[in-house]
Amino acid sequence: MPAVHVDFDQVAVESVSTMDTDGEAVTDDAFCIPVIIPLDAVGPWLALYDETSSTSPSAANSRIIARAVLAALQAAAESD
Amino acid sequence: MPVYPVFDPTTGASGGASSGGGGGGGTDGPTNAITPEVVNLTDGTWTLWDDDGLIDTTYGTNGATFDSATGETTIKMAGLAAGGAQYMPATTSGGHFWPRWYRAIPATNMGTVVMTTDLKNNTTPAPWARAVVCGLASNPTSTDVNTMDGTGGFFRHGGTGSNPFNLGVWTLGSQTSGSNLSIVRGLATVMRSNDSLGSGTYITVKADELALNSGSRNTGFNAGAAGATVPVFHMVGVGTYGTGTIPVGALVTMRITQTTSIIAFGA
């Protein structure tokens, strides 16, 4: 599986106003969680993703990124 | 390379502190003790841009007064019956039509400019859903977000007593800030250089003078002028927190303090 990490010591609760990937404006008080995709993992990750399919990526592949983010969120929330 | 303070903190005159002491400023050397400038929008160096008439220009000087005892600037709003994203500094939607004061500084986008601001809100005026920015801009009269090319310290408040204060850093049409009722003031430092709008950092401070939050925001905006040399200005802007209205006569009272270093490192 391609690698994914979280820059954990940069996880912070912040108020953010920005644009989401889809161009939608976002304003919220939130946990900001930087996700690290190593450059050599970019190709493999994009190969697992089909933006035209609502079932992509697969559950197993989705779980890798989701668990990295949720683990960071849980650790940060518990220490906050 | 030396760091040159831009304004005499005692008189506000350009060119840094006068020699012979009396008001701080900096000295050449590995460190520079700097007395920041308390911004006074009524000192004659600022020009108001307010195409949509949100500022009550019958108030004070171009809509602002300055209290030299407290260092606070008060801005009076003419009111806004129909809000919109274009009046929000912290969004790219609709462009930048919020009013701002600007002044020339001896800096360009190709030089290294580091600006530190301190925004301290006065909670006495009735709150309304407002946002304030104090920073740098390549074109403060442009309504196009990327052409304005702005960054600096940021404040906003949702307009009711239960809303937290947000203090942090503003970049182009976005912001990242600390958010808490106990925040009293916010420091922000932005650095731009070599046609990059760079990044900004912030620290929020409570009444006990201890920090509560810290953070940063990267603009990711390089080559904004496609390598051309353009001037950089100081800018102080006020707008809305969201797309809501502004009551007629609404006030913003804030102590705005800044120091700007224009640094010639050389190639």
Side-chain angles (χ1 to χ4, degrees):
Chain A
M1 284 298 145
V4 60
H5 310 285
V6 167
D7 191 352
F8 186 70
D9 69 4
Q10 297 300 296
V11 174
V13 173
E14 294 181 306
S15 172
V16 180
S17 300
T18 187
M19 302 290 281
D20 206 335
T21 306
D22 60 3
E24 288 297 308
V26 173
T27 292
D28 224 332
D29 288 358
F31 271 100
C32 296
I33 303 174
V35 176
I36 299 172
I37 307 290
L39 290 179
D40 58 7
V42 171
W45 273 117
L46 293 180
L48 298 173
Y49 176 53
D50 177 2
E51 66 179 335
T52 66
S53 169
S54 62
T55 60
S56 175
S58 69
N61 293 328
S62 301
R63 198 167 288 131
I64 296 170
I65 293 182
R67 288 182 63 84
V69 171
L70 291 172
L73 177 62
Q74 183 174 51
E78 290 175 351
S79 66
D80 203 45
Chain B
M1 279 295 194
V3 171
Y4 296 95
V6 179
F7 292 95
D8 185 318
T10 302
T11 67
S14 61
S18 58
S19 59
T27 58
D28 295 350
T31 63
N32 296 278
I34 298 172
T35 301
E37 175 203 25
V38 180
V39 171
N40 177 359
L41 298 179
T42 71
D43 67 7
T45 66
W46 297 87
T47 301
L48 172 65
W49 184 96
D50 183 22
D51 262 19
D52 289 2
L54 271 63
I55 300 297
D56 180 353
T57 54
T58 67
Y59 176 77
T61 301
N62 266 338
T65 59
F66 180 74
D67 184 335
S68 59
T70 62
E72 291 175 328
T73 291
T74 296
I75 296 166
K76 190 173 185 180
M77 310 301 291
L80 180 65
Q86 68 270 33
Y87 302 119
M88 299 170 58
T91 186
T92 56
S93 300
H96 283 330
F97 286 83
W98 35 273
R100 52 264 192 182
W101 290 257
Y102 65 93
R103 66 182 176 188
I105 60 173
T108 74
N109 62 316
M110 298 305 289
T112 301
V113 187
V114 181
M115 183 180 190
T116 300
T117 61
D118 181 282
L119 302 180
K120 184 175 183 180
N121 179 60
N122 185 321
T123 59
T124 300
W128 55 279
R130 65 211 182 276
V132 173
V133 299
C134 174
L136 305 166
S138 294
N139 189 338
T141 64
S142 175
T143 58
D144 179 82
V145 171
N146 287 354
T147 303
M148 173 184 280
D149 197 19
T151 184
F154 178 80
F155 165 87
R156 75 175 179 184
H157 185 254
T160 67
S162 61
N163 291 134
F165 298 103
N166 295 164
L167 281 139
V169 62
W170 167 76
T171 60
L172 291 167
S174 303
Q175 63 84 23
T176 301
S177 56
S179 178
N180 199 285
L181 274 167
S182 66
I183 299 173
V184 171
R185 63 188 180 92
L187 299 155
T189 293
V190 295
M191 179 179 74
R192 60 177 303 163
S193 188
N194 301 86
D195 201 20
S196 168
L197 193 56
S199 307
T201 66
Y202 70 87
I203 296 174
T204 65
V205 184
K206 300 174 294 176
D208 61 3
E209 281 294 290
L210 294 178
L212 180 65
N213 316 103
S214 63
S216 63
R217 186 169 188 91
N218 180 28
T219 68
F221 191 58
N222 302 319
T229 299
V230 299
V232 170
F233 298 81
H234 273 162
M235 183 175 70
V236 175
V238 61
T240 56
Y241 178 109
T243 57
T245 60
I246 303 175
V248 174
L251 300 175
V252 174
T253 297
M254 183 167 288
R255 189 190 70 191
I256 304 169
T257 314
Q258 73 87 26
T259 182
T260 300
S261 298
I262 302 167
I263 311 167
F265 284 112

